[in-house]
Amino acid sequence: MIWDSFIIFALPFCILGIAGSVSVYIPRFKWLSDVCMMSAVILLGIFIALLWHELERPPLRTMGETRLWYAFFLSFIGYITYKHWKYRWLLGFSMFMAILFVLINYFKPEIHSKNLMPALQSFWFIPHVSIYIFSYATLGAATIAALVQIFMLLKKQAINYKLVEFIDNIIYIGFAFLTFGMLLGAIWAKEAWGHYWSWDPKETWAFITACAYLIYIHIRLRKKYLKTALFLLPFAFLLLMIAWIGVNYLPSAQSSIHTYAR
């Protein structure tokens, strides 16, 4: 299986990601950063495509498969945001997180089968899951930036309003995709189970996560509460991780209609 050859893709991805993150700080080798980062993203994209072909289904069912997509989207978003906003440290942190998820997949491999339960054999499977993972990666990048700004505040440094503007823009994008993914999930649920919403544990935590980011957006409308909003973002991302990964380990997940995602 292609998964048995994961190291052939994972190791070069890690090496290219590290090289790209380091060379961006060396003026003479900035071009090398572009080459390394684009190569890393393309390499992981090729592995996902090959895995898709091997499994004869979209690799979006297991937790390991979604981690692959998260690493792909996070490295891609990290590179794109670096090219637009020129935050070199964001490129490094994004690649660090992407490499971490790739290494987790390598050291904790999962069993991948071609079978999909009937509920997953739907048109909505690919857009719902892929949009969600993209939103997770986008909100992850925003959280990294928020942590940097919080660290600056703790060191009594002035607020970097350019960085805050970047955080806001990324949050808006991530929240839009998060909401869209939730709406697609509701449509899919109606098609599969006959109702849009059942307060399943996964649905409940997804709703809680969306509310947390919505609170951030509303708090930011009052500029005097900027610090409060920034400190809310790591908490919101923690809720997102619970909705994505942690909920699978809760006792209530045993009766969840989303248990196929474990």
Side-chain angles (χ1 to χ4, degrees), residues 199-202 205 242 245-259 262:
W199 293 107
D200 176 84
K202 197 84 169 181
W205 281 97
I242 295 174
I245 300 173
V247 72
N248 294 319
Y249 300 98
L250 297 176
S252 58
Q254 300 303 317
S255 59
S256 170
I257 58 178
H258 287 86
T259 50
R262 294 197 301 165

Side-chain angles (χ1 to χ4, degrees), residues 130-150:
S130 58
I131 286 173
Y132 252 136
I133 298 301
F134 181 81
S135 73
Y136 292 172
T138 305
L139 295 171
T143 304
I144 292 171
L147 289 173
V148 170
Q149 180 62 83
I150 289 172

Side-chain angles (χ1 to χ4, degrees), residues 30-255:
K30 279 191 175 182
W31 62 269
L32 181 61
S33 176
D34 291 331
V35 172
C36 289
M37 292 305 304
M38 288 189 292
S39 299
V41 172
I42 292 171
L43 188 64
L44 194 56
I46 290 174
F47 178 79
I48 292 173
L50 291 174
L51 184 62
W52 192 324
H53 180 267
E54 175 72 21
L55 295 176
E56 299 177 358
R57 64 166 178 80
L60 291 163
R61 182 177 64 86
T62 68
M63 191 60 65
E65 290 165 6
T66 58
R67 282 196 295 260
L68 273 178
W69 285 94
Y70 189 80
F72 172 77
F73 282 135
L74 191 57
S75 55
F76 174 74
I77 291 170
Y79 177 66
I80 293 300
T81 51
Y82 156 69
K83 294 298 291 183
H84 188 274
W85 279 281
K86 308 303 180 184
Y87 290 123
R88 295 177 294 183
W89 50 264
L90 182 62
L91 178 66
F93 279 115
S94 297
M95 281 308 304
F96 171 79
M97 292 300 299
I99 290 172
L100 178 62
F101 275 82
V102 165
L103 291 178
I104 291 174
N105 267 7
Y106 175 71
F107 289 109
K108 189 182 177 182
E110 296 187 4
I111 297 174
H112 304 268
S113 68
K114 295 183 178 182
N115 299 323
L116 280 179
M117 65 181 294
L120 296 180
Q121 298 173 17
S122 168
F123 164 80
W124 303 106
F125 177 41
I126 297 175
H128 170 65
V129 181
S130 58
I131 286 173
Y132 252 136
I133 298 301
F134 181 81
S135 73
Y136 292 172
T138 305
L139 295 171
T143 304
I144 292 171
L147 289 173
V148 170
Q149 180 62 83
I150 289 172
F151 180 74
M152 293 169 61
L153 289 173
L154 294 177
K155 292 184 66 176
K156 308 300 183 182
Q157 297 180 12
I159 293 176
N160 185 336
Y161 286 99
K162 182 182 177 182
L163 179 58
V164 171
E165 181 183 2
F166 162 76
I167 295 170
D168 288 342
N169 289 333
I170 294 297
I171 288 293
Y172 296 151
I173 295 171
F175 180 74
F177 277 92
L178 187 71
T179 304
F180 189 41
M182 191 181 303
L183 291 174
L184 290 180
I187 296 172
W188 184 10
K190 177 65 175 179
E191 178 186 278
W193 297 296
H195 42 75
Y196 293 102
W197 197 269
S198 61
W199 293 107
D200 176 84
K202 197 84 169 181
E203 296 172 350
T204 302
W205 281 97
F207 175 74
I208 293 172
T209 300
C211 286
Y213 284 104
L214 190 60
I215 290 171
Y216 168 84
I217 292 173
H218 279 77
I219 291 177
R220 282 292 293 120
L221 296 176
R222 304 291 297 274
K223 297 186 182 301
K224 64 179 180 179
Y225 297 122
L226 171 59
K227 293 181 180 179
T228 302
L230 288 172
F231 278 94
L232 174 63
L233 282 182
F235 175 71
F237 189 71
L238 176 62
L239 294 177
L240 186 150
M241 287 293 104
I242 295 174
W244 177 24
I245 300 173
V247 72
N248 294 319
Y249 300 98
L250 297 176
S252 58
Q254 300 303 317
S255 59

